[in-house]
Structures are given as structure tokens and as C-alpha cells.
Amino acid sequence: TGLKANISKADLALAGLSAGNKVYNGNTLADLFGTASVSPLGSDAVVLSGTGIANFADKNVGNNKTVTVSGYTLSGADAANYNLVQPTGGLKANISKADLALAGLSAADKIYDATTTATLSGTAAVTALGSDAVSVGGTGAGTFADKNVGTNKAVTVTGYTLSGTDAGNYNLVQPTGLTATIS
């Protein structure tokens, strides 16, 4: 007589969910796919309710990043016997780099000189998302597609780089549509 013991809550893992990959957008939110479910023991009456919210551990670019899920709750006659836990094995997804367009440049017309060199003017700038710390570095160079005389000839820009705390979250996209004339 007098024997006593405790029964602790069993873990009940969320199932049926996956996290979607995304392009960097400056926040930690992740998209959930699938239908959340739980499998209680035996004939226990447990209902999963709520709306799932998924978040990456941080906002930065990376592969196979951990995604945590919140927003779900358990109800039903036997719900008090369980702890709702993250999906077995954890959810993983990727955040890929966002494109960041270089702006503020123009190409100058020139007189034929047997080279493809184009003179750039203006100040190279980028507009990062939110309060991200990103700046433009490097020295830009402009190049015509060929050395021959012509109007509205495409000019390609190279040489610029990104720096700053959040630069790793972006791909620098050189300006497109720059044209100039070789007379």
C-alpha cells in the first residue's frame, strides 16, 4: 500500500508540414505547406487547432536552415496528457539571395577611338530592403559591345561590389539598358 508515481506528459509531434524555400526579404517568416496533424496514443481524444506560423532562426541567406512552427494548440478530453512539439526531424528550408539593382549611372557618348571603353557618369547606388546595411564599393567600368560606330549601343557595367553587414544577402545586378553613341 502507499505506492505512488507520476505520469508525465507525452510528446506529440506535429506532422504533415513542410517549409518552403524563399528569396531573402529581410524577415524570418517562412511559408508552411501541407496539413498539420497529430497522432495521439490509442483512442485519446485530442484535436489540433490554431493557425501555424513558421519562422527561420534568422533572416539571413543560407541552405538547410531550421524552421520552427508555432501557433498550434491542442484541445480535447485528453489534450492535457500531451506536450505539442516541433515536427520530428525539424523543418528545413533555404533562403536564397535577393537581387539588388545598381542605379544612378549613365554612359557618355564618345567619338570612335578603336576601343570598347565607355565612360560612366553618376554615382552608383543601391536601395536595400528595410534597414539593411549595404553599400556599393569597387570601381565601375563601362564597355561597349564592340568598338564600331553606332547609336544607342548597349553598355555593360562591371567592377562594382557590395559591402556592409547585410551584403551577403544580395546579388548585385549591374544596370541594364545603359546605352550611348559612338560617332
Side-chain angles (χ1 to χ4, degrees), residues 5 7 24-25 40 54 73 87 103 109 111 115 120 124 137 144 150 162 166 173-174 182:
I7 299 175
Y24 176 79
N25 64 359
T73 57
D109 294 341
I111 296 173
T115 71
L120 299 175
F144 285 99
L162 294 176
D166 298 304
V173 177
Q174 303 297 335
I182 300 176

Side-chain angles (χ1 to χ4, degrees), residues 5-10 81:
N6 298 327
I7 299 175
S8 58
K9 292 183 177 187
N81 294 320

